[in-house]
Amino acid sequence: MKSTTSPHSCQDSSLTSYIMRLLYSLVIALSLSTWLAASDIPLTLNLMPIPAKVQSGSGQLVIDPTFTAASTGARDARLDGGIARLLDDLSRQTGMPLTVRPSDAAHATLTIRAQSAGRKVQELGEDESYTLEINASHASLTAPTALGALHGLQTFLQLVAPTPAGFAVPVVTINDQPRFSWRGLLIDVGRHFIPLEIMKRNLDGMAAMKMNVLHLHLSDNEGFRVESKRFPKLQEGSEGQYYMQAEVRELVTYARDRGIRLMPELEMPGHSRAIVVGYPELASEPGPYKAGRIAQAEPALDVTQEKTYKFLDKLIGEMVQLFPDAYLHIGGDEVDDKPWDSNPKIQEFIHARGMKNNRDLQAYFNQRLQKIVAKHGKIMMGWDEVLHPDLPKTVVVQSWRGQESLAAAARQGYRGLLSYGYYLDLIWPAARYYAVDPMSGGAASLTPEEQQRILGGEACMWSEYVTAETIDSRIWPRLAAIAERLWSPQNVTDPKSMYQRMNEVSWRLGWLGLTHESNYLPMLRRLAGREDIAALRVLADVVEPTKDYTRTEVWPQAPVKTTPLNRLADAARPESRDAREFSELVNTYLQNDQQKSDVEEQIRFFLMAWHDNDAALQPLLDQSLLLAEDKPLSEDLSALAAAGLQALDALDKSQSLPDQWRTEQLAVVKRSNAPRANLLLMVAPAIQKLIEAASPRR
Amino acid sequence: MKSTTSPHSCQDSSLTSYIMRLLYSLVIALSLSTWLAASDIPLTLNLMPIPAKVQSGSGQLVIDPTFTAASTGARDARLDGGIARLLDDLSRQTGMPLTVRPSDAAHATLTIRAQSAGRKVQELGEDESYTLEINASHASLTAPTALGALHGLQTFLQLVAPTPAGFAVPVVTINDQPRFSWRGLLIDVGRHFIPLEIMKRNLDGMAAMKMNVLHLHLSDNEGFRVESKRFPKLQEGSEGQYYMQAEVRELVTYARDRGIRLMPELEMPGHSRAIVVGYPELASEPGPYKAGRIAQAEPALDVTQEKTYKFLDKLIGEMVQLFPDAYLHIGGDEVDDKPWDSNPKIQEFIHARGMKNNRDLQAYFNQRLQKIVAKHGKIMMGWDEVLHPDLPKTVVVQSWRGQESLAAAARQGYRGLLSYGYYLDLIWPAARYYAVDPMSGGAASLTPEEQQRILGGEACMWSEYVTAETIDSRIWPRLAAIAERLWSPQNVTDPKSMYQRMNEVSWRLGWLGLTHESNYLPMLRRLAGREDIAALRVLADVVEPTKDYTRTEVWPQAPVKTTPLNRLADAARPESRDAREFSELVNTYLQNDQQKSDVEEQIRFFLMAWHDNDAALQPLLDQSLLLAEDKPLSEDLSALAAAGLQALDALDKSQSLPDQWRTEQLAVVKRSNAPRANLLLMVAPAIQKLIEAASPRR
């Protein structure tokens, strides 16, 4: 029963309507911007990464409790596991009690036919394509290999949606295959150790996004994170934080079950303090070296002595038993000159052999290392710096320097993959990563043969500033954008579509146990030390951690140099959705006369909220040492909002505000664009546009 | 820099101010009611349960990275573990890198001195008291036993709060001890199996609330959840969902480490289908019996045959090896008459022995069972029905029938504990459980000696309608209210204070991994099948699952009778905070002329939000089979809000609305007070008050 009497009690009808619309918008807001985004999202296929070819039909295949799935092709235990997980995920999504039943394959709702089982050890370049055909009564997934079938199952799962008749997948035909054969994520477990269970849920997320390589950066100055039985002092110098060999095997299996290769990296000859803590005789300087996350000059291995090679031979011999993947990454980047320069024996070695400098010495090391790696049946991989004409062409180069460097390697005959532009710890927005293409820049001018050598790319999650608690939020959902770049056709580039789909994908990733969404409010509550964090959230929703490598904090009371990652900069998301959507509104407002009044109302809604927030937030900030550093940000958010409102008022009246006013407001903008408390106030650029529009320079 | 120009662009200043206040309130809302609650919470000690005696001082002890804790008393591995967990929790809360250091006890910030280690197997009635003295430079925790010290550590942790100078605990002296020695939680893992990790995090929550007994309801018609090596068909009939013996041992240790006894319950002679599925020869009717969550008449054991006792002797002999606790619960409730009535041999046995009826037969069974339990060194416990004068006084009675039944047992010399009034699955509000006192009602008139026999109480989480996914939200945070009832002095009864502290405790419990808060939005998103759930949340925030045992649903398309727990009734919280706080506002408004305009504004804010919500929500409800059943609720929320707004308008103008109007509106209220889609619209009673005030009966 609906009431016919108006419930409104205000007199002024236009103002009342304004209140009501604002009220409604606000009331339903989970964050300020959620309601804006909602209306934009078309109820179409939320697939990510976008398949190579999608042909939509009409109608749908209902998913009800009679749903069954059966594999009719080659047997592969991975595929059985994948089907079991599909049913598990479907059950959770629909609430229907679906279980794996020994079903008559001929009558299964979804039949899966892989023409061949995959290789025993998953290989680079294995066929990953699949075809998914859905009609109103049946779905058929076919693939040349079990690997392709696993990807197809993920696509099927993404297609499931609630409908008035229950759950269903649309009638559609999808022919899909990846653009690149190497679609990786590097996780640095050296700087901060990341426990096994967190690695597993990230593997689940990678599988959902059809990624196929987990690159484990296992050693660095701060720790050696894998158990060596031959050299136990390696892990013993890592404060007890490392994977036992049984855990490594478990992780390798877990990854393989999901169509993901697991490639280890043992960093040398630089970034090697964790090695020389226990074995200082391998270093080019005498030491001693201390374990852990401390400040100490970078050591390097002494690559002129034979015992270093004997050590590496034994170590690699042990490690290849743990990691079946065909590739072994030996790091090789950023070797500091100082440890080699300061050792006369090493400099003598360089001159005696007719080498020019330390770079030649590293090349010498890499050649010898490559022979050891090859002897143990592996292909060597390294960062840009390893590239040297004397190395065999089998070596694969991972480029942190960019497409030019990658293209140069390809021209010389080396295979390579791009990581430049995919560093998640630089805290860039998803769209910026999304725009980076391994085949652009220098790579665009390669011959087709040379282009074949560009294998793909790898996102890098370096862990100086992430912990087990925050790592999910630094990887997800932005990694989905990189996953799409590496899988989908080159012409899939629309950031608007990407953001819409990424927003949907993000909460589904939460079902896999990833905490990028669920940890946000608990971290804010912990910072606040109380339940009510509403005002803190308004601020947190519009700041982002500083970009690139500008973070420079230590705990003010710490007795040792250490960085507890427990500040607003750690809780804040890498990308502010409110700021992004506010910026879009301002652009629309300033460019478009048609929608002006609509978007102006929305802009005002944001600005008024921000304007009043500081008064509510200050008592909390005053009360906490951890939050006190954020006071200037809160004050400036308020000041920026006031400036924005004044600008809007002036624009409404077609007035121009004085130069003096503009100068004052732009000073606030300037402050806000610079890092404070390791945070940036992301709404400043859009408000700057309003200020400049309301007070144009004459 | 703050702007001096007013940012407001509206003309009508009072209306503008109204908008601004509403805006502000709304913008910061995480749920509609959060902002209302915030101002009420005093920044005092958020301890729960409230200690027996608290003497506050002035000043505080700073917690900084130099914080250390050392145990100086009796050695007990549990205490070492407790201290390690304290440091772990503190590190997480403060972000400071605290680690267990071999510290000089004399200079530790917190010294813990337990005068004696606890018993090897934790006993009922062990001293649990502790004294916590905090001054500006040092904290001292002393306790007669390690058990008391563990409780004291939880209190210390609750005292830590952020301050302008960092983190600190206040200067305070606390002398604490529990009111009751048995403070338990029953978890029914029989109806729905609950995996080990979920049990563990609930044990963590129990320890935080100083509870000391986990009662595992291990067997019921639907499953036998512990591995028996002697009778493997027990667990084999449980669809593979049971604890392996190694897991039981792990759980026992985990509980003991946290000061919690783990008591098993093996239900007999009723609720025993899971036993007779594999061993039908033990049943009073021939069977066959089917496993799992299906509808089948209740069987009962045939207690007239010797082989039943031989079976039980062997089974109990095996189980006591797994469960070291002194008590063994044998169930004994709700034995159906039918299976015994229908077996002539059993009825003949009853008459031949001069028994009057089936109740006498159960008493005969219990006497024989008690001897078996005692032979294996355990004390028998059972539900009310086991009470019979022929049983020895050692038997402990757990009362689901109430204080009268409990008092009757105490008068006869039996010890007992209360569970009536503490059934969490009845989905009552926390305040209702909080008001239930084991010593009230019939127990109040007991002699002091008889009162000694009232050991305490146990909350019961029966699992017909909970799964691994939802169980946390059905236990927490309401269990905290029961924990306080059983620990704190009898005169601690203020529900307002309890709710304030429970709200704070609730998010801290989330740090332990409990999902009662974090699962809410993901479940709503899954129901919606999309990210934008703002309108759904407004509805979900004001409904509660039906109370008592009124849930009656089956999946509409299911081929078998089954209950997928994946509806709004499963996502909805047991207690609507919005409804509770709205109701308080309405009470204040109707009773108090002083604050009228303030609270009226807040009431309007709720009503306007609800009024407009249906229009936003209907498209989503139309789109989903799972949500379609909630359409009438959404419509009526809107209609109720309209009625409330009309009532407010009339009251403002001191007008009285016509009888016809009242009759129409009360029909909506009536509908809303009845379950639909297993949900209640919790705002109806408060709106009814507004309606009746605006249209009094003449």
Side-chain angles (χ1 to χ4, degrees):
Chain A
M1 187 200 300
K2 295 292 187 91
S3 159
T4 51
T5 316
S6 163
H8 303 164
S9 64
C10 308
Q11 271 85 50
D12 180 322
S13 70
S14 75
L15 252 181
T16 302
S17 144
Y18 178 58
I19 295 169
M20 291 303 299
R21 271 178 296 157
L22 273 176
L23 263 175
Y24 170 66
S25 307
L26 282 160
V27 159
I28 64 165
L30 293 170
S31 73
L32 289 178
S33 65
T34 307
W35 65 280
L36 295 174
S39 57
D40 287 336
I41 295 171
L43 290 170
T44 56
L45 305 183
N46 275 312
L47 293 174
M48 194 164 194
I50 285 184
K53 194 176 160 204
V54 178
Q55 201 175 344
S56 289
S58 65
Q60 59 188 27
L61 172 64
V62 170
I63 311 283
D64 67 18
T66 67
F67 179 88
T68 50
S71 170
T72 64
R75 301 298 300 177
D76 185 312
R78 286 182 300 180
L79 194 47
D80 295 340
I83 293 170
R85 285 196 302 279
L86 173 88
L87 290 170
D88 220 41
D89 289 345
L90 265 182
S91 285
R92 211 166 4 160
Q93 181 176 356
T94 62
M96 299 184 302
L98 305 171
T99 48
V100 182
R101 286 180 283 239
S103 69
D104 178 3
H107 295 100
T109 324
L110 169 65
T111 52
I112 300 118
R113 185 178 168 78
Q115 282 154 29
S116 70
R119 306 286 164 79
K120 190 155 179 294
V121 174
Q122 185 176 328
E123 286 178 17
L124 173 65
E126 265 189 83
D127 194 324
E128 298 182 272
S129 68
Y130 67 91
T131 298
L132 178 60
E133 291 176 281
I134 301 175
N135 63 39
S137 60
H138 178 250
S140 160
L141 171 62
T142 54
T145 71
L147 211 49
L150 285 173
H151 294 314
L153 290 175
Q154 296 290 351
T155 301
F156 185 86
L157 201 56
Q158 287 188 353
L159 288 171
V160 177
T163 73
F167 287 86
V169 288
V171 168
V172 70
T173 298
I174 293 175
N175 299 93
D176 201 8
Q177 65 192 53
R179 181 170 162 226
F180 293 107
S181 58
W182 192 302
R183 305 177 306 281
L185 169 66
L186 175 153
I187 296 186
D188 170 10
V189 299
R191 267 84 171 206
H192 276 101
F193 181 65
I194 307 296
L196 198 69
E197 71 193 55
I198 297 174
M199 300 303 290
K200 284 183 178 176
R201 69 189 186 216
N202 276 284
L203 282 165
D204 287 327
M206 290 173 68
M209 292 300 110
K210 300 187 172 69
M211 300 187 81
N212 67 359
V213 183
L214 174 62
H215 172 164
L216 268 186
H217 183 78
L218 281 167
S219 74
D220 214 300
N221 293 320
E222 292 79 0
F224 192 95
R225 306 301 187 187
V226 57
E227 177 188 24
S228 167
K229 294 190 193 291
R230 289 197 176 184
F231 303 105
K233 281 189 270 183
L234 288 172
Q235 68 267 21
E236 284 163 13
S238 300
E239 301 171 306
Q241 295 193 303
Y242 59 90
Y243 304 119
M244 291 183 296
Q245 295 205 345
E247 290 178 313
V248 169
R249 291 200 180 89
E250 192 180 334
L251 199 62
V252 166
T253 304
Y254 196 90
R256 179 185 147 74
D257 284 347
R258 285 152 183 79
I260 296 169
R261 297 165 41 214
L262 198 150
M263 179 183 67
E265 175 180 351
L266 301 171
E267 173 84 79
M268 58 192 80
H271 288 274
S272 54
R273 179 158 50 83
I275 294 176
V276 300
V277 166
Y279 302 93
E281 66 274 17
L282 300 177
S284 59
E285 294 175 300
Y289 297 96
K290 284 188 218 149
R293 296 186 49 72
I294 50 153
Q296 190 173 21
E298 292 251 337
L301 300 184
D302 180 350
V303 301
T304 67
Q305 56 183 7
E306 285 310 304
K307 68 177 164 192
T308 298
Y309 298 97
K310 282 186 189 142
F311 167 86
L312 292 175
D313 186 24
K314 284 184 195 164
L315 177 64
I316 290 171
E318 183 183 10
M319 290 296 126
V320 298
Q321 300 303 314
L322 285 177
F323 296 96
D325 196 71
Y327 292 78
L328 175 68
H329 202 297
I330 56 86
D333 62 317
E334 298 182 324
V335 186
D336 197 11
D337 280 315
K338 200 210 138 250
W340 282 350
D341 285 347
S342 69
N343 183 330
K345 188 178 68 93
I346 289 177
Q347 292 306 314
E348 196 177 310
F349 184 94
I350 289 176
H351 298 306
R353 304 261 173 154
M355 301 176 193
K356 287 194 299 293
N357 52 31
N358 292 340
R359 298 288 72 73
D360 284 354
L361 181 61
Q362 189 181 353
Y364 161 83
F365 169 69
N366 284 334
Q367 287 174 63
R368 294 200 56 178
L369 185 57
Q370 190 275 331
K371 290 195 181 77
I372 294 172
V373 170
K375 181 184 111 181
H376 291 293
K378 301 296 179 187
I379 301 167
M380 189 169 101
M381 188 152 172
W383 298 100
D384 303 74
E385 289 93 325
V386 303
L387 200 63
H388 193 280
D390 292 341
L391 277 184
K393 302 301 183 209
T394 54
V395 168
V396 178
V397 176
Q398 179 167 15
S399 180
W400 64 273
R401 290 183 171 168
Q403 286 100 330
E404 301 305 326
S405 175
L406 186 63
R411 280 196 197 91
Q412 293 171 47
Y414 294 98
R415 292 175 303 157
L417 52 95
L418 187 68
S419 279
Y420 168 87
Y422 298 143
Y423 272 33
L424 293 166
D425 60 323
L426 296 178
I427 315 286
W428 295 352
R432 183 163 170 191
Y433 298 109
Y434 195 59
V436 175
D437 194 302
M439 288 300 186
S440 67
S445 60
L446 295 175
T447 67
E449 190 190 346
E450 288 162 352
Q451 287 192 341
Q452 288 295 320
R453 297 183 189 129
I454 311 280
L455 302 174
E458 258 188 21
C460 293
M461 183 68 256
W462 300 105
S463 67
E464 281 91 343
Y465 294 105
V466 297
T467 62
E469 181 179 48
T470 57
I471 192 167
D472 289 358
S473 73
R474 273 50 190 149
I475 295 177
W476 304 102
R478 295 178 304 149
L479 181 60
I482 299 174
E484 177 157 293
R485 171 61 44 244
L486 297 173
W487 176 282
S488 300
Q490 187 163 13
N491 64 1
V492 174
T493 55
D494 177 19
K496 192 177 161 82
S497 161
M498 181 275 287
Y499 273 118
Q500 285 175 353
R501 288 175 296 110
M502 191 181 77
N503 289 342
E504 293 293 319
V505 152
S506 185
W507 56 270
R508 288 192 174 219
L509 288 167
W511 297 350
L512 303 173
L514 291 163
T515 62
H516 56 295
E517 296 276 5
S518 61
N519 252 3
Y520 181 56
L521 297 186
M523 284 192 76
L524 293 183
R525 290 213 164 88
R526 198 185 57 198
L527 278 169
R530 68 181 199 199
E531 193 207 9
D532 174 24
I533 48 158
L536 180 60
R537 188 187 174 170
V538 170
L539 177 63
D541 275 351
V542 296
V543 293
E544 292 178 9
T546 52
K547 310 299 157 183
D548 305 317
Y549 292 131
T550 52
R551 182 155 174 161
T552 54
E553 67 174 330
V554 290
W555 178 257
Q557 303 179 324
V560 290
K561 181 179 182 297
T562 180
T563 307
L565 300 171
N566 184 31
R567 303 195 148 180
L568 191 55
D570 300 298
R573 289 156 164 166
E575 192 165 6
S576 162
R577 193 162 157 183
D578 279 6
R580 174 159 48 85
E581 294 177 2
F582 178 76
S583 169
E584 283 169 19
L585 287 173
V586 169
N587 288 342
T588 306
Y589 173 78
L590 293 175
Q591 287 159 16
N592 186 334
D593 276 344
Q594 301 285 303
Q595 303 174 26
K596 230 180 175 73
S597 70
D598 255 16
V599 300
E600 183 182 338
E601 184 182 296
Q602 296 175 8
I603 291 170
R604 269 187 200 280
F605 147 55
F606 275 110
L607 292 172
M608 288 192 280
W610 295 332
H611 178 263
D612 277 17
N613 195 60
D614 185 50
L617 184 53
Q618 287 292 354
L620 176 63
L621 302 185
D622 282 337
Q623 188 198 312
S624 160
L625 176 69
L626 276 184
L627 291 172
E629 63 183 355
D630 306 311
K631 286 179 71 168
L633 290 152
S634 177
E635 285 161 16
D636 281 348
L637 177 61
S638 204
L640 285 172
L645 287 165
Q646 290 159 11
L648 277 189
D649 287 351
L651 289 165
D652 276 348
K653 298 174 196 151
S654 300
Q655 291 170 350
S656 178
L657 290 164
D659 289 353
Q660 166 72 12
W661 177 88
R662 184 184 65 238
T663 305
E664 282 170 19
Q665 309 313 321
L666 290 182
V668 185
V669 169
K670 192 178 173 192
R671 279 204 304 272
S672 304
N673 282 333
R676 285 174 294 179
N678 294 303
L679 288 167
L680 301 169
L681 207 40
M682 298 306 292
V683 298
I687 291 177
Q688 179 174 359
K689 290 184 189 170
L690 290 175
I691 292 166
E692 290 177 343
S695 176
R697 288 169 207 277
R698 270 156 291 225
Chain B
M1 185 199 300
K2 298 289 188 92
S3 160
T4 51
T5 315
S6 161
H8 305 163
S9 64
C10 308
Q11 271 85 52
D12 179 321
S13 70
S14 74
L15 251 180
T16 301
S17 145
Y18 178 58
I19 296 169
M20 290 304 297
R21 271 178 295 157
L22 275 177
L23 261 177
Y24 169 66
S25 308
L26 282 160
V27 159
I28 65 167
L30 293 170
S31 73
L32 289 178
S33 65
T34 306
W35 64 279
L36 295 173
S39 56
D40 287 337
I41 297 172
L43 290 172
T44 56
L45 305 184
N46 276 311
L47 293 174
M48 192 163 197
I50 285 185
K53 194 175 162 205
V54 179
Q55 203 176 340
S56 289
S58 65
Q60 60 188 28
L61 171 64
V62 170
I63 311 282
D64 68 17
T66 67
F67 179 88
T68 51
S71 170
T72 65
R75 300 298 301 177
D76 185 312
R78 285 183 300 181
L79 194 49
D80 295 339
I83 294 171
R85 285 196 303 278
L86 174 89
L87 291 170
D88 220 40
D89 288 346
L90 264 182
S91 287
R92 213 165 3 160
Q93 182 175 355
T94 63
M96 297 183 305
L98 305 171
T99 48
V100 182
R101 285 180 284 238
S103 67
D104 178 3
H107 295 101
T109 324
L110 169 65
T111 53
I112 300 115
R113 184 177 167 79
Q115 282 152 32
S116 70
R119 305 287 163 78
K120 188 154 180 294
V121 174
Q122 185 177 328
E123 286 178 16
L124 173 65
E126 266 190 81
D127 193 324
E128 298 182 273
S129 69
Y130 67 91
T131 298
L132 179 60
E133 291 176 281
I134 300 175
N135 63 38
S137 60
H138 178 248
S140 161
L141 171 62
T142 55
T145 70
L147 211 49
L150 284 175
H151 293 315
L153 291 174
Q154 296 290 349
T155 302
F156 186 86
L157 200 56
Q158 287 188 353
L159 288 170
V160 177
T163 74
F167 286 85
V169 289
V171 169
V172 71
T173 298
I174 292 175
N175 299 93
D176 201 8
Q177 64 191 51
R179 181 171 163 226
F180 292 108
S181 59
W182 192 303
R183 306 178 305 281
L185 168 66
L186 175 153
I187 296 185
D188 170 10
V189 298
R191 266 83 170 209
H192 275 103
F193 181 67
I194 306 297
L196 198 70
E197 70 192 55
I198 297 174
M199 299 304 290
K200 285 184 176 174
R201 68 190 186 215
N202 275 285
L203 282 164
D204 286 326
M206 290 174 68
M209 292 299 109
K210 301 187 171 67
M211 301 188 81
N212 67 0
V213 183
L214 174 62
H215 171 163
L216 268 187
H217 184 78
L218 282 166
S219 74
D220 214 300
N221 293 320
E222 292 79 0
F224 192 95
R225 306 301 187 185
V226 55
E227 177 188 24
S228 167
K229 294 188 193 291
R230 289 197 177 183
F231 303 105
K233 281 187 271 185
L234 288 172
Q235 67 268 19
E236 284 164 13
S238 300
E239 300 171 306
Q241 295 193 303
Y242 60 90
Y243 304 119
M244 290 183 296
Q245 295 204 344
E247 290 178 314
V248 170
R249 292 200 178 90
E250 192 180 334
L251 199 62
V252 166
T253 303
Y254 196 90
R256 180 185 146 75
D257 284 347
R258 285 151 184 80
I260 297 170
R261 296 165 42 215
L262 199 150
M263 179 181 68
E265 175 181 352
L266 301 171
E267 173 84 79
M268 57 192 82
H271 286 275
S272 54
R273 178 159 49 84
I275 295 176
V276 300
V277 165
Y279 302 93
E281 65 275 18
L282 300 176
S284 60
E285 295 174 299
Y289 298 96
K290 283 188 218 149
R293 298 187 49 73
I294 50 150
Q296 190 172 22
E298 291 251 337
L301 300 184
D302 180 350
V303 302
T304 67
Q305 57 182 8
E306 286 309 305
K307 69 177 164 193
T308 298
Y309 297 98
K310 283 188 187 138
F311 167 86
L312 291 174
D313 186 24
K314 283 184 194 162
L315 177 63
I316 290 171
E318 183 183 10
M319 290 296 126
V320 299
Q321 300 303 313
L322 285 178
F323 296 97
D325 196 70
Y327 293 78
L328 175 68
H329 202 299
I330 57 84
D333 62 318
E334 300 181 322
V335 185
D336 197 10
D337 280 315
K338 199 210 140 250
W340 282 350
D341 285 349
S342 69
N343 182 332
K345 188 178 67 96
I346 289 176
Q347 292 306 314
E348 197 179 307
F349 184 93
I350 289 175
H351 298 304
R353 303 258 173 154
M355 301 176 192
K356 287 195 298 295
N357 53 29
N358 292 340
R359 298 288 72 74
D360 285 353
L361 180 61
Q362 190 181 352
Y364 162 83
F365 170 70
N366 283 335
Q367 287 175 64
R368 294 199 58 177
L369 184 56
Q370 191 274 329
K371 291 196 180 78
I372 294 172
V373 171
K375 181 184 113 182
H376 291 293
K378 300 295 178 186
I379 301 168
M380 189 169 99
M381 186 151 176
W383 297 100
D384 303 73
E385 289 93 324
V386 303
L387 200 62
H388 193 280
D390 293 340
L391 276 183
K393 302 301 184 208
T394 53
V395 168
V396 178
V397 176
Q398 179 167 16
S399 180
W400 64 273
R401 289 184 172 166
Q403 285 101 331
E404 302 303 328
S405 176
L406 186 62
R411 284 197 193 90
Q412 294 171 48
Y414 293 97
R415 293 175 304 158
L417 52 96
L418 186 68
S419 279
Y420 169 87
Y422 298 143
Y423 273 34
L424 293 167
D425 59 323
L426 295 179
I427 314 286
W428 295 353
R432 183 163 171 190
Y433 299 109
Y434 195 59
V436 175
D437 195 304
M439 288 299 186
S440 68
S445 60
L446 295 176
T447 67
E449 190 191 347
E450 288 163 352
Q451 285 193 341
Q452 288 295 319
R453 297 184 189 127
I454 311 279
L455 302 174
E458 258 189 21
C460 292
M461 183 70 255
W462 300 106
S463 67
E464 280 91 343
Y465 294 105
V466 296
T467 61
E469 181 180 46
T470 59
I471 191 168
D472 289 358
S473 72
R474 271 52 190 147
I475 295 177
W476 303 102
R478 295 178 304 150
L479 181 60
I482 299 174
E484 177 157 292
R485 171 61 44 244
L486 297 173
W487 177 282
S488 300
Q490 189 164 13
N491 63 1
V492 174
T493 55
D494 177 18
K496 193 177 159 80
S497 160
M498 180 276 286
Y499 272 119
Q500 285 175 354
R501 289 175 296 109
M502 191 181 78
N503 288 343
E504 293 293 318
V505 151
S506 185
W507 57 269
R508 287 192 175 222
L509 287 167
W511 297 350
L512 302 173
L514 290 163
T515 61
H516 57 295
E517 297 275 6
S518 61
N519 251 3
Y520 181 56
L521 298 186
M523 283 190 78
L524 293 183
R525 288 213 165 89
R526 199 186 54 198
L527 277 167
R530 68 182 199 198
E531 194 208 7
D532 173 24
I533 49 159
L536 181 59
R537 185 185 175 172
V538 170
L539 177 63
D541 276 351
V542 295
V543 292
E544 292 179 9
T546 53
K547 310 297 157 186
D548 305 317
Y549 291 132
T550 52
R551 183 155 174 160
T552 54
E553 66 173 332
V554 290
W555 177 258
Q557 302 179 325
V560 290
K561 182 179 182 296
T562 180
T563 307
L565 300 171
N566 184 30
R567 302 195 150 180
L568 191 55
D570 300 298
R573 290 156 165 165
E575 193 166 4
S576 162
R577 192 162 160 184
D578 279 5
R580 174 158 50 81
E581 294 177 2
F582 178 76
S583 171
E584 284 169 18
L585 287 174
V586 168
N587 288 342
T588 307
Y589 173 78
L590 293 175
Q591 287 158 17
N592 186 333
D593 276 345
Q594 300 285 303
Q595 302 175 25
K596 231 181 173 70
S597 72
D598 255 15
V599 299
E600 182 181 337
E601 184 183 297
Q602 295 175 11
I603 291 170
R604 270 188 199 280
F605 147 55
F606 275 111
L607 292 173
M608 288 192 280
W610 294 334
H611 178 263
D612 277 17
N613 196 60
D614 185 51
L617 183 53
Q618 287 292 355
L620 176 62
L621 303 184
D622 283 337
Q623 189 198 312
S624 160
L625 176 68
L626 276 183
L627 290 172
E629 61 184 356
D630 306 310
K631 286 180 70 169
L633 290 151
S634 177
E635 284 161 16
D636 281 348
L637 177 61
S638 200
L640 285 171
L645 287 165
Q646 290 160 13
L648 278 188
D649 287 351
L651 290 165
D652 275 349
K653 299 175 195 148
S654 302
Q655 290 172 349
S656 177
L657 290 165
D659 289 353
Q660 167 72 12
W661 177 86
R662 184 184 64 239
T663 305
E664 282 171 18
Q665 309 313 320
L666 290 182
V668 185
V669 169
K670 193 177 173 196
R671 278 205 305 270
S672 303
N673 282 332
R676 288 174 294 181
N678 294 303
L679 288 167
L680 300 170
L681 208 39
M682 299 306 293
V683 298
I687 291 177
Q688 179 174 359
K689 290 183 187 170
L690 291 175
I691 292 167
E692 289 176 344
S695 176
R697 285 168 210 277
R698 270 155 293 224

